[in-house]
Amino acid sequence: MTDGWDSDGTGELDLTPSPRLLEVLGDIPYQPWQCLAELVDNSFDEFRSDLDRDPADPPAIHITLPRANTALVDAQVVVSDNGRGMSLQTLRDALRAGFSGNARYGSLGLFGMGFNIATARLGSKTTVRTSRAGDPVWLVAEIDFKDLQRRETFHVPLRRERKEDPLLHGTAITIRDLRPNMVDALKRPKTISTVKDKLGRVYSYLLRDHSPIPELPDDDTLAGSGIGLYINGKRVKPRIPCVWAASRSVTYSGAEIKAVQVIDRKLQDAYACMRCGHWHRHYDVVNCVECGSDDLELRQRRIHGWLGVQRYLDESDYGIDFLRHGRKILLGDKSLFTWVNPDTGETLDEYPIEIPANQGRLVGEIHIDHAPVNYQKTDFDRSSRDWNDAALYLRGEGPMRKTKAKDRGFAENDSPLGILFKAFQQNDPGIRCLIPGNGQSATHKLTSDWGSKFHEGLAEYQLDEKWYEAVLNHEEIKNRATTQGGSDVSPAGGDLGSRTGLDPLPLNTPNPGLSQPPVVLVEPEPPVETEEQRYARYRQHARKLYDLEGEVSALNLGKRNVSVFETTIPVADASGAYMPTISRVTSGLNLEVYVHGDHEVFREFGRDPRDYAILEISQVLRALARDVDTKITVIAAEVTCQFPDQRRTDSALRDRAAEVLRRVRDLATPVITAQAPQMWTLLSSDSKLRAERDAARVDPRLDWLGAIHDGRFSAYLSYDALAGLVRGAPAAFMDGAVYSMAWASWTDEQARDRQVSHVARLLETVGEFVADASHKSRQELVMTRLAIDMLDDIVARRE
């Protein structure tokens, strides 16, 4: 373009940017992985648009980075693919888009401005080499940023190179004259590891070729593209979500809620600009309102993907991934877990708030291809209507907690995330929440370790059977009968209770009516049981204690993989001597320990089978090390500390007490709300004062008089206050309403009083522990743990 006026009084201005702009591009703070992502975006775009690709020629992208011994002058970065390649016109348009900033609809990169930012950030010289199958030559464009600045032009040289094999095809981008700081970074193993991890997460959907969710079909919503991405010859592995199978579910308010919610919401079609990507919601558009192009196409708009439940909890590894054209723009986004009141600006952090604090498991992958993103592709435009419409659909308008929504005048939240949240917000062990446990508490640390093994690719941990077995084992231990014995009633294994007294005498029984000695039958010797058969029999009658499973090290022996089983039948060593625990070392580094859970030391003396299992582990480790000097108690202490799910510290018990209190409050709220004024009068003056102070601290905007009238005060009641309520109105709280203890069916007043006193004393005992912050002795902690266990056991299970 030329500046100036034409003879008719009109003219134009030359708005071509100064080539000095290229010097600034290299200072934009792109991390190494972002630079590489901008370059591979173009390759992913190519493969996603090639719908007729030959299956015998799988798509692949190769990234070559400088090696540790590469000299600075020889260092270069190469990104190549075996795509269809570009014609001369396509190459010209692509490079022109890079300098103009255009980013066409449906593309990740298309050599947009991000291409120039990435290449300028890496180095000053870029070569683009491309060709199609059947073309006789390679087209080679040389972009030298320093030369462009010196000549003050955007014209770049182009040459042709003859191909040895006309069937070759693809595109390669080579960056040379690299910045020294970038070369130093790319040579570091930590940087390479970070790049692989980031690209494996960002392109997870495009790199995988199957659904990440067991038992869901590999459709276009879930499966991905199976494109191969390699760095210095090693394949980048996609980060696959570790989620429960689609068949798993829990029961909430009488409904079955699946652990995976498939999302597929069709929106009104809209015209998309094929040059700049802008969407137009009205149908009478002729030219793009953003760039003026008339290249518009009517396209489908859709919110699709899935929301689900991870098999383990984590402080940071949870949240929703949001994708645009297959690339993850947001990783583990947690913004939808916070509710913002559109009228007052009030915010509520809704998830996670259960025990353990700040650990979540709700995850998902949501595609919103029509929503705009920022230039770095690290976030969506949160002010755009498309983003806000998607967020509103996924999480709903009001709070996800029912009581919070009601308090603020919103209807119950039945959004996809709201439904999943209400069913899986809690972390109680067992089938009700799909949380593995050991019969007493959740095994969060163990399941987190299993999650690490899942991401390492170990076959045993890919499906969710191991997690589900631990869930069922928790229920079995929790609910098993306390009766002794089992199928083996007599020492001989026969059921004497079924005898009628009419059976004929055995042939080897003396008969006084006979004048001759009886015939004595000699029974054959029973077959000798092999060691493998003996341990198989123990396993057949055993359940695994998952909180004592994992790698254990002591006495400089390295690591041993330990598994502990609690059996319902006696266990014996090779000599036949019965004992509380036995063990054996199997192939590799595996150690199996078997504990007879009904041994008298546990049944009659109250010892914990887990403590004896740890002693057995310690004894084996000492024997393997041939160490006779180290005391067994020292080794046992070291082993114990390697099973964090066994902790019974003051803080751990306070966390459990807080979780049980929350459950009691949730169950008591509808009971109290139904007769709020009467319930308020049952409270002592001290309980009323403590509830008011707690409410003022947690929610200073709360209308306290209104809360007393409608029952919202129940959310701030202490253990002592709840004990007072159950004593004052047992009919409202017993028989499964809040506590599972029976009350109404008893006609004797003393029997009723015993039931009520049992519940109230447990509440008061735990309440005393919570209120007293002083140091507790070991015995006091043990007593508190038992009280919490007993209280937890009688709190009704919410559907």
Side-chain angles (χ1 to χ4, degrees):
M1 288 185 289
T2 58
D3 294 341
W5 299 99
D6 292 335
S7 58
D8 61 355
T10 63
E12 60 181 10
L13 294 174
D14 185 358
L15 298 181
T16 302
S18 167
R20 292 185 177 86
L21 173 66
L22 300 175
E23 184 177 1
V24 178
L25 295 180
D27 294 326
I28 294 177
Y30 268 40
Q31 298 178 32
W33 76 265
Q34 288 179 284
C35 296
L36 298 173
E38 287 291 347
L39 302 181
V40 301
D41 274 352
N42 300 293
S43 300
F44 281 117
D45 279 337
E46 158 60 21
F47 291 132
R48 289 175 65 245
S49 63
D50 185 5
L51 303 180
D52 300 321
R53 187 174 185 85
D54 184 357
D57 184 22
I61 305 169
H62 288 267
I63 300 174
T64 304
L65 302 177
R67 305 283 183 172
N69 58 354
T70 304
L72 177 61
V73 67
D74 299 322
Q76 61 182 20
V77 173
V78 181
V79 176
S80 61
D81 65 53
N82 61 345
R84 290 169 296 184
M86 291 182 279
S87 66
L88 177 60
Q89 184 60 44
T90 304
L91 177 62
R92 179 182 291 113
D93 292 342
L95 294 181
R96 182 180 295 118
F99 290 119
S100 68
N102 288 343
R104 194 185 70 187
Y105 159 83
S107 67
L108 295 175
L110 194 71
F111 294 81
M113 187 59 73
F115 167 79
N116 277 339
I117 296 174
T119 53
R121 182 72 172 157
L122 291 169
S124 62
K125 296 180 180 179
T126 301
T127 301
V128 180
R129 192 169 184 264
T130 187
S131 184
R132 300 173 299 177
D135 288 348
V137 297
W138 294 97
L139 300 176
V140 183
E142 299 277 0
I143 305 172
D144 186 333
F145 287 159
K146 293 180 179 178
D147 182 61
L148 293 180
Q149 292 178 56
R150 183 173 58 255
R151 294 189 292 110
E152 296 191 354
T153 178
F154 277 94
H155 294 280
V156 299
L158 177 69
R159 68 176 187 274
R160 293 179 172 85
E161 293 181 359
R162 184 166 299 278
K163 286 168 39 178
E164 295 182 3
D165 183 356
L167 295 180
L168 292 176
H169 57 91
T171 301
I173 301 170
T174 303
I175 301 101
R176 303 184 310 279
D177 195 10
L178 301 182
R179 295 184 174 218
N181 63 326
M182 191 61 70
V183 174
D184 291 340
L186 292 175
K187 285 183 177 181
R188 288 194 290 267
K190 185 176 181 180
T191 302
I192 300 298
S193 176
T194 300
V195 168
K196 287 182 178 179
D197 178 70
K198 269 295 194 179
L199 296 184
R201 290 171 181 263
V202 168
Y203 297 107
S204 170
Y205 174 78
L206 295 170
L207 296 178
R208 66 185 188 234
D209 58 0
H210 63 278
S211 167
I213 303 171
E215 302 173 11
L216 274 185
D218 294 334
D219 61 19
D220 62 343
T221 298
L222 302 167
S225 306
I227 300 171
L229 177 63
Y230 302 83
I231 296 181
N232 287 346
K234 294 184 178 180
R235 188 158 190 161
V236 175
K237 297 180 180 179
R239 173 80 172 188
I240 305 296
C242 180
V243 291
W244 287 98
S247 62
R248 307 301 186 196
S249 63
V250 301
T251 300
Y252 176 80
S253 295
E256 182 185 18
I257 308 300
K258 295 287 188 180
V260 175
Q261 302 286 315
V262 176
I263 307 297
D264 193 0
R265 181 175 177 82
K266 304 293 194 303
L267 305 175
Q268 183 180 15
D269 295 346
Y271 279 97
C273 176
M274 304 304 291
R275 176 184 294 178
C276 73
H278 182 73
W279 289 84
H280 304 76
R281 292 174 180 263
H282 48 282
Y283 279 83
D284 57 351
V285 62
V286 177
N287 296 93
C288 175
V289 299
E290 288 289 325
C291 68
S293 170
D294 59 359
D295 189 5
L296 305 178
E297 287 189 11
L298 188 63
R299 295 278 180 160
Q300 181 188 72
R301 294 188 310 132
R302 177 182 175 208
I303 303 170
H304 63 101
W306 58 271
L307 298 172
V309 182
Q310 196 166 244
R311 301 178 210 164
Y312 60 90
L313 282 84
D314 195 87
E315 291 184 355
S316 59
D317 187 15
Y318 69 96
I320 304 171
D321 298 342
F322 286 92
L323 298 82
R324 183 175 181 269
H325 301 305
R327 170 172 169 167
K328 293 189 176 182
I329 304 300
L330 291 172
L331 296 171
D333 183 70
K334 301 169 180 60
S335 62
L336 267 59
F337 300 146
T338 298
W339 178 73
V340 180
N341 192 320
D343 300 323
T344 66
E346 174 198 11
T347 61
L348 288 177
D349 292 328
E350 298 195 89
Y351 182 82
I353 62 174
E354 310 290 343
I355 302 298
N358 302 320
Q359 292 193 25
R361 57 175 178 150
L362 298 186
V363 295
E365 291 181 333
I366 301 297
H367 300 252
I368 42 175
D369 296 344
H370 57 283
V373 300
N374 63 15
Y375 79 94
Q376 285 188 305
K377 301 175 189 172
T378 56
D379 201 352
F380 287 85
D381 180 359
R382 303 286 181 124
S383 65
S384 70
R385 180 177 174 182
D386 293 314
W387 166 264
N388 285 287
D389 285 351
L392 181 63
Y393 165 70
L394 291 170
R395 70 138 291 132
E397 184 180 9
M400 292 187 291
R401 291 184 178 272
K402 185 176 181 179
T403 55
K404 299 293 185 183
K406 183 178 179 181
D407 290 346
R408 288 154 179 80
F410 288 89
E412 185 172 353
N413 191 319
D414 59 355
S415 67
L417 183 60
I419 293 173
L420 196 70
F421 163 82
K422 283 181 284 190
F424 292 94
Q425 60 178 299
Q426 294 178 300
N427 302 319
D428 298 337
I431 198 69
R432 189 173 63 87
C433 298
L434 273 186
I435 291 287
N438 56 27
Q440 296 179 346
S441 59
T443 53
H444 295 308
K445 175 61 170 62
L446 176 64
T447 50
S448 178
D449 291 341
W450 290 354
S452 298
K453 290 180 172 62
F454 168 91
H455 291 300
E456 290 171 11
L458 299 183
E460 180 184 357
Y461 299 88
Q462 295 311 297
L463 299 179
D464 69 356
E465 275 85 355
K466 197 174 186 70
W467 280 264
Y468 197 64
E469 181 184 354
V471 171
L472 297 182
N473 273 355
H474 172 87
E475 295 292 344
E476 183 180 353
I477 298 171
K478 186 94 173 172
N479 301 319
R480 75 179 173 186
T482 58
T483 56
Q484 300 181 13
S487 59
D488 295 333
V489 176
S490 70
D495 185 357
L496 301 182
S498 65
R499 296 290 297 272
T500 66
L502 301 177
D503 299 335
L505 291 172
L507 290 178
N508 59 349
T509 302
N511 189 332
L514 295 177
S515 60
Q516 57 194 32
V519 178
V520 179
L521 298 182
V522 179
E523 295 185 2
E525 290 287 334
V528 178
E529 186 180 44
T530 66
E531 180 182 279
E532 188 58 43
Q533 289 172 333
R534 180 161 55 92
Y535 280 100
R537 178 165 54 86
Y538 295 155
R539 281 196 300 274
Q540 184 180 0
H541 295 83
R543 62 182 58 84
K544 185 177 286 188
L545 302 181
Y546 284 102
D547 54 329
L548 289 181
E549 180 182 65
E551 294 178 337
V552 176
S553 60
L555 300 174
N556 300 316
L557 268 179
K559 295 181 177 179
R560 297 277 169 173
N561 294 316
V562 174
S563 297
V564 178
F565 302 86
E566 182 182 355
T567 76
T568 58
I569 60 175
V571 296
D573 63 10
S575 68
Y578 290 103
M579 50 192 60
T581 64
I582 61 170
S583 62
R584 68 168 180 167
V585 178
T586 62
S587 60
L589 300 176
N590 299 318
L591 170 62
E592 291 181 354
V593 177
Y594 294 83
V595 186
H596 179 209
D598 199 39
H599 191 279
E600 62 179 354
V601 74
F602 309 127
R603 185 182 68 250
E604 299 178 12
F605 293 86
R607 302 304 179 191
D608 192 329
R610 288 170 172 78
D611 293 337
Y612 273 64
I614 288 175
L615 286 173
E616 182 74 19
I617 295 169
S618 305
Q619 176 64 27
V620 173
L621 293 178
R622 186 168 74 165
L624 291 173
R626 296 184 175 88
D627 186 330
V628 297
D629 297 325
T630 305
K631 295 178 65 175
I632 193 68
T633 53
V634 173
I635 304 172
E638 184 177 352
V639 171
T640 301
C641 292
Q642 296 176 56
F643 294 112
D645 285 322
Q646 288 290 302
R647 286 193 301 265
R648 294 295 182 265
T649 62
D650 183 280
S651 61
L653 290 177
R654 289 184 183 277
D655 285 346
R656 281 204 62 205
E659 172 62 15
V660 174
L661 177 61
R662 182 201 56 73
R663 284 180 50 212
V664 173
R665 285 172 171 174
D666 284 351
L667 291 168
T669 292
V671 176
I672 295 172
T673 301
Q675 40 188 327
Q678 297 91 323
M679 290 292 178
W680 181 253
T681 62
L682 293 176
L683 297 174
S684 67
S685 299
D686 183 60
S687 294
K688 294 176 179 178
L689 181 61
R690 289 172 61 182
E692 183 175 359
R693 288 175 176 174
D694 191 30
R697 177 180 56 83
V698 174
D699 191 356
R701 299 182 181 180
L702 179 66
D703 175 10
W704 184 241
L705 292 178
I708 293 173
H709 179 74
D710 60 22
R712 283 177 291 162
F713 67 84
S714 61
Y716 308 99
L717 295 180
S718 66
Y719 271 109
D720 288 342
L722 292 165
L725 288 181
V726 76
R727 288 185 188 276
F733 296 95
M734 305 288 278
D735 296 302
V738 177
Y739 311 102
S740 60
M741 302 289 289
W743 183 82
S745 61
W746 297 102
T747 58
D748 180 68
E749 288 300 323
Q750 289 186 358
R752 286 186 167 188
D753 290 344
R754 279 197 299 271
Q755 300 290 81
V756 173
S757 294
H758 179 66
V759 175
R761 282 198 303 269
L762 288 175
L763 290 167
E764 290 163 350
T765 299
V766 180
E768 288 175 6
F769 167 75
V770 172
D772 184 4
S774 64
H775 175 74
K776 304 294 190 302
S777 67
R778 180 177 61 85
Q779 291 85 351
E780 289 174 313
L781 294 178
V782 171
M783 184 185 71
T784 301
R785 177 177 67 84
L786 291 175
I788 295 175
D789 287 344
M790 294 173 67
L791 179 61
D792 182 50
D793 194 48
I794 65 172
V795 174
R797 300 293 167 180
R798 186 194 65 188
E799 290 189 348

